[in-house]
Amino acid sequence: AQSVTQPDIHITVSEGASLELRCNYSYGATPYLFWYVQSPGQGLQLLLKYFSGDTLVQGIKGFEAEFKRSQSSFNLRKPSVHWSDAAEYFCAVASTGTASKLTFGTGTRLQVTL
Amino acid sequence: KAGVTQTPRYLIKTRGQQVTLSCSPISGHRSVSWYQQTPGQGLQFLFEYFSETQRNKGNFPGRFSGRQFSNSRSEMNVSTLELGDSALYLCASSPRTMGNTEAFFGQGTRLTVV
């Protein structure tokens, strides 16, 4: 069965600093990978996705992620964090056969200090 | 294009009652998935409907059921509510159920069981 691990429950960064959120997945074949962001009491917004091809994917709000098959990772990065980026971030995996069935990690809560 | 619409946004029910939640997907999307989000269990897949047929099901008791109508709108029903059913229920719509597809989430319905 597929699974996702987000090892960091909570991360605090200063505004303007760089950010990297870790995500490791377990899946037999090439997975579909996603990063979502959730503000308190809100739904999930898709930041970026990886299906195939270029392993460095660009998303909205200045985020990017890199798929590393050898490390089973799909880490999310942003070069300069803004206070409005404070939220909870979820990594998710899906299979090609059931692409709309997502398995989520436990999430990383990002706090941004001014 | 209008996003995914979930109604109601908030709901308070008593143990033993039943509840029905509604989801209107993005126009043209035929796949609707439901997720339960709780602090303890995180985001868990409930089920997915595509063209009025349940295509995938998560590991939830039979008290949780759903259906999809010909216009792709979906409803989720929980019977004999338990305190542990208190959660944010999220609906996601996708254009397809397989292949390169992404899920777009609604704002969710916050269900509180007392």
Side-chain angles (χ1 to χ4, degrees):
Chain A
Q2 57 204 40
S3 65
V4 177
T5 301
Q6 293 182 247
D8 303 306
I9 296 173
H10 185 252
I11 283 183
T12 301
V13 299
S14 301
E15 190 175 38
S18 63
L19 171 70
E20 182 168 27
L21 302 182
R22 296 183 290 165
C23 171
N24 292 96
Y25 68 89
S26 173
Y27 182 66
T30 300
Y32 291 164
L33 294 160
F34 309 85
W35 275 98
Y36 284 88
V37 61
Q38 185 180 38
S39 298
Q42 301 298 311
L44 300 170
Q45 182 182 23
L46 179 66
L47 286 175
L48 47 77
K49 58 190 180 287
Y50 173 79
F51 294 136
S52 64
D54 193 347
T55 57
L56 183 64
V57 294
Q58 303 296 321
I60 61 171
K61 302 184 179 186
F63 286 93
E64 67 177 26
E66 186 171 13
F67 170 59
K68 292 186 177 180
R69 184 190 304 275
S70 61
Q71 299 176 20
S72 297
S73 69
F74 189 58
N75 294 349
L76 182 71
R77 300 194 293 250
K78 186 170 185 178
S80 177
V81 169
H82 188 261
W83 64 266
S84 60
D85 293 325
E88 189 147 25
Y89 291 78
F90 293 92
C91 181
V93 65
S95 67
T96 57
T98 54
S100 53
K101 177 185 176 183
L102 298 170
T103 298
F104 285 91
T106 51
T108 298
R109 179 161 298 279
L110 173 65
Q111 183 177 356
V112 180
T113 59
L114 301 177
Chain B
K1 222 181 212 185
V4 178
T5 303
Q6 291 188 246
T7 56
R9 287 293 311 278
Y10 302 92
L11 209 48
I12 299 176
K13 289 288 189 178
T14 304
R15 270 182 304 174
Q17 287 186 315
Q18 75 166 6
V19 68
T20 299
L21 312 182
S22 180
C23 173
S24 293
I26 293 171
S27 177
H29 286 194
R30 296 167 60 193
S31 168
V32 174
S33 300
W34 290 88
Y35 293 81
Q36 182 196 64
Q37 185 177 26
T38 61
Q41 299 299 317
L43 280 154
Q44 294 185 287
F45 174 81
L46 280 155
F47 32 65
E48 180 210 359
Y49 286 86
F50 182 82
S51 294
E52 302 179 63
T53 302
Q54 188 179 87
R55 298 296 293 263
N56 292 290
K57 191 177 190 308
N59 189 26
F60 278 82
R63 300 186 297 107
F64 292 82
S65 63
R67 59 178 176 168
Q68 187 179 35
F69 302 95
S70 58
N71 62 358
S72 294
R73 191 177 70 86
S74 177
E75 288 182 346
M76 188 192 106
N77 184 273
V78 188
S79 63
T80 319
L81 283 166
E82 300 176 0
L83 295 179
D85 297 332
S86 295
L88 181 66
Y89 289 89
L90 292 164
C91 166
S93 81
S94 305
R96 297 173 296 281
T97 188
M98 298 173 60
N100 297 4
T101 191
E102 54 196 57
F104 297 88
F105 284 80
Q107 297 284 69
T109 293
R110 171 74 62 186
L111 172 64
T112 302
V113 182
V114 298

